[in-house]
Amino acid sequence: MAPVADASLYSNQGEYKQPERTQAQYGYTSDGKKKRILLNAFDMNGLGHVSPGQWQNPNDKSITKNRLNYWINLAKLLEKGKFNALFLADNFGTHDIYKGSHEPAIRSATQWPLYDPFTIISAMAAVTESLAFGVTSCTTFEPPFILAKRFSTLDHLTNGRIAWNVVTSWSNTSARAMGLGELPEHETRYAIAEEYLNLVYKLWEGSWADDAVIRDASISTYADPAKVRKIEHKGKYFKCSSAHQVDPSPQRTPVIFQAGMSSTGSAFAAKHAECVFLGGRSAAFVGEKVRKTRALAAKQGRDPYSLKFFTQFTAVLGETQEEAEAKYNDYLKYALPEGGLALFGGTSSVDVSKFPWDEEFPTDPKHPLLQGLTQPQVERLLNKPTGYTSWTPRLLSEYSAVGGSGNVSVGTAQKVADDLERFILEADVDGFNIGHIVVPQAWEDVITYLIPELDRRGWLGSNDYAVPGGTARENLYAAPGQSRLHPTHPGSRYKFDAYPDEPQEEVAFVGVK
């Protein structure tokens, strides 16, 4: 569970009551010390994750992702470098928004081919002790009972080092791959996700008592049936009548990541997430999302600083600025802008081919080419990266082909650390999902150049795992012995001793009004 530094910060009803911090306090804990910044490696079990075309680069090993050696070696590397976690993205179907076809994505190997992320976790856990594993899985396409069983199994096999990135899907392509004509409406997807999480919380937290497993051969009893509850769930979207099939795992509920950017997604994250993954090409844009989500968390009765915010960041590093720039220019030789726009279209559902190639994107909300787009889509399209004075489809294609939609910094460890600090001090982020252009060189360079510099500046704590061999939650919060959900987290109300036997009426999810 997340640590609460001071019980006086809560009312008798458990509501958070500490005043919001000022921007001058960003990057620091309440006692004035620098925050411990967390680094996750951001990867995908397939080609062209955030840098389409690098499979052509002789230094890139992404074509070997369908072999266990890639993942085993990567896990060893990340643990040696004291990364907090390996964060694995996922998707279903091909990206077919750009030009209304999947051909650009397939031709450029943009997140294609794409393999299953769950199957590689056990192999990596076997060669590591502290590295956590965050896996993306969607609440729209899979029955909750099956997902709960899989995550509980992985929580056992990893000794509690598993996290779930909760997504509702953004893509009608994914829906069609799953046999649906289109995705449920946006607000409906989050209503489904709300009930989905409530059901898996019941299975993870409420089906088995902590002392249900007794393994008493003298009475031939492995588990006490009186301490294993059948969950009876009858909701609007799901039904379940079964005890959870897996005995209590080290964390029970995996660490919850969430990556929604819309107002409803932010409200959902404020209620359920322990870690929030935010995209954005500037500290100002990311910072606004962080502030709003923390405020929503406080309204939910949660400590807003128990939520850890991560943003995507790709570093190209060298001993000198010239060396880093030469490395970056070499990467550009292999980048495929067509793949960049296929990727942008797949993740935003915006077809950039409809806009004039070398003209500035329109900013007037009444412009015909912006009609039919949602506010988050318009924000993603028009949000210029830091340092860009012009923003056209051509520039977006080049930008998206190297590092995807995240921020890319090229330079020495000092220069890249300065860029990271901007997000820490201006956006109040708690960590970074470190993207890549060439793998595994991207993370080898981070370990060689960047981590020592961040450690020198005091951002990495002891530059070691807070709880060596500990669970994902213990290392996330630097809290030995706190592997379970925080008492104010909504999943905690389903714990075995708190959750009643009789079926309960489901509480509908209410987004931002």
Side-chain angles (χ1 to χ4, degrees):
M1 61 183 179
V4 179
D6 186 352
S8 68
L9 302 183
Y10 291 85
S11 70
N12 291 335
Q13 290 74 40
E15 295 179 345
Y16 187 80
K17 60 181 183 179
Q18 179 178 319
E20 185 177 356
R21 298 178 194 176
T22 65
Q23 186 162 345
Q25 296 170 304
Y26 288 177
Y28 296 87
T29 60
S30 58
D31 58 1
K33 296 179 180 179
K34 284 186 174 181
K35 290 197 296 189
R36 173 174 155 267
I37 297 302
L38 300 167
L39 303 180
N40 301 328
F42 188 37
D43 207 346
M44 193 177 211
N45 193 4
L47 275 68
H49 175 207
V50 291
S51 298
Q54 295 302 319
W55 54 270
Q56 305 169 101
N57 189 329
N59 294 319
D60 183 74
K61 306 302 180 187
S62 60
I63 61 172
T64 66
K65 287 183 178 181
N66 58 359
R67 296 293 182 267
L68 278 179
N69 276 346
Y70 172 87
W71 298 105
I72 289 171
N73 292 334
L74 176 60
K76 290 179 178 178
L77 172 69
L78 297 177
E79 176 135 309
K80 179 181 178 182
K82 310 302 181 183
F83 273 74
N84 177 64
L86 170 60
F87 184 104
L88 291 166
D90 197 20
N91 187 36
F92 297 110
T94 54
H95 293 309
D96 62 0
I97 299 298
Y98 180 60
K99 294 184 177 180
S101 170
H102 68 189
E103 290 184 10
I106 291 178
R107 182 166 42 246
S108 59
T110 298
Q111 299 188 355
W112 186 269
L114 191 57
Y115 310 104
D116 184 83
F118 284 92
T119 54
I120 57 179
I121 300 297
S122 295
M124 292 189 287
V127 296
T128 55
E129 293 182 349
S130 301
L131 182 71
F133 306 97
V135 193
T136 301
S137 193
C138 180
T139 56
T140 305
F141 303 132
E142 182 176 24
F145 187 88
I146 295 174
L147 177 137
K149 181 178 181 178
R150 182 186 305 116
F151 270 105
S152 290
T153 302
L154 283 172
D155 202 50
H156 275 298
L157 294 176
T158 62
N159 292 321
R161 292 182 285 138
I162 197 73
W164 173 24
N165 178 38
V166 181
V167 297
T168 66
S169 186
W170 64 86
S171 168
N172 281 323
T173 301
S174 296
R176 290 190 290 270
M178 295 296 168
L180 304 176
E182 59 183 13
L183 284 174
E185 187 268 335
H186 183 266
E187 302 300 306
T188 301
R189 294 202 304 277
Y190 277 99
I192 293 169
E194 175 73 14
E195 186 181 332
Y196 196 112
L197 263 72
N198 288 341
L199 176 47
V200 294
Y201 292 150
K202 293 174 186 178
L203 293 165
W204 286 327
E205 299 289 338
S207 186
W208 293 65
D210 287 336
D211 58 352
V213 176
I214 58 177
R215 302 188 187 96
D216 190 342
S218 68
I219 55 173
S220 300
T221 300
Y222 184 84
D224 183 351
K227 295 184 178 182
V228 180
R229 172 189 291 124
K230 180 183 285 189
I231 298 301
E232 298 288 356
H233 177 94
K234 295 180 180 179
K236 182 175 180 179
Y237 301 103
F238 303 104
K239 293 180 174 60
C240 179
S241 177
S242 177
H244 189 35
Q245 283 189 300
V246 184
D247 53 307
S249 64
Q251 298 184 119
R252 285 197 178 241
T253 297
V255 169
I256 301 294
F257 269 84
Q258 205 271 342
M261 292 286 286
S262 66
S263 58
T264 305
S266 294
F268 186 85
K271 181 175 182 180
H272 292 283
E274 296 167 278
C275 302
V276 183
F277 179 27
L278 294 173
R281 305 185 189 111
S282 70
F285 179 83
V286 172
E288 183 64 18
K289 295 291 185 182
V290 171
R291 285 188 288 275
K292 287 182 177 179
T293 308
R294 288 203 200 277
L296 289 169
K299 290 181 180 179
Q300 293 279 356
R302 300 181 65 195
D303 178 352
Y305 295 94
S306 71
L307 277 69
K308 303 295 185 182
F309 288 84
F310 295 79
T311 194
Q312 183 180 333
F313 197 95
T314 300
V316 180
L317 291 144
E319 189 70 40
T320 64
Q321 186 68 30
E322 293 73 22
E323 180 184 323
E325 290 177 0
K327 191 178 293 185
Y328 181 73
N329 289 331
D330 183 63
Y331 295 159
L332 291 178
K333 297 175 185 177
Y334 304 100
L336 295 175
E338 177 185 58
L341 292 183
L343 175 59
F344 181 81
T347 57
S348 68
S349 295
V350 178
D351 183 1
V352 180
S353 70
K354 296 179 179 179
F355 294 81
W357 188 239
D358 284 311
E359 291 184 15
E360 294 288 323
F361 284 111
T363 57
D364 182 354
K366 296 181 180 179
H367 193 283
L369 289 176
L370 298 181
Q371 299 310 298
L373 299 183
T374 65
Q375 184 60 33
Q377 286 176 318
V378 173
E379 286 180 351
R380 289 206 47 192
L381 183 67
L382 302 185
N383 181 235
K384 285 197 291 263
T386 301
Y388 279 68
T389 57
S390 180
W391 197 232
T392 66
R394 183 189 298 276
L395 292 173
L396 174 59
S397 74
E398 295 169 353
Y399 184 89
S400 298
V402 183
S405 61
N407 295 278
V408 177
S409 179
V410 180
T412 62
Q414 293 76 20
K415 192 267 185 186
V416 173
D418 287 344
D419 292 340
L420 286 174
E421 280 188 338
R422 186 175 302 114
F423 281 86
I424 298 169
L425 299 174
E426 296 179 19
D428 199 24
V429 301
D430 302 284
F432 299 90
N433 277 4
I434 302 294
H436 57 85
I437 299 176
V438 170
V439 293
Q441 184 186 63
W443 300 300
E444 292 171 344
D445 287 350
V446 166
I447 292 168
T448 300
Y449 299 112
L450 183 59
I451 285 179
E453 177 64 18
L454 292 175
D455 188 38
R456 186 186 67 78
R457 298 185 186 200
W459 290 116
L460 301 181
S462 65
N463 193 19
D464 202 347
Y465 289 103
V467 186
T471 65
R473 196 169 276 114
E474 287 175 298
N475 272 306
L476 176 68
Y477 292 109
Q482 296 182 335
S483 297
R484 301 285 301 280
L485 287 172
H486 187 278
T488 62
H489 189 282
S492 291
R493 72 186 182 99
Y494 296 110
K495 289 182 178 179
F496 188 88
D497 293 334
Y499 183 59
D501 288 326
E502 65 273 10
Q504 299 293 297
E505 182 178 350
E506 290 302 307
V507 178
F509 174 66
V510 179
V512 177
K513 298 295 185 183

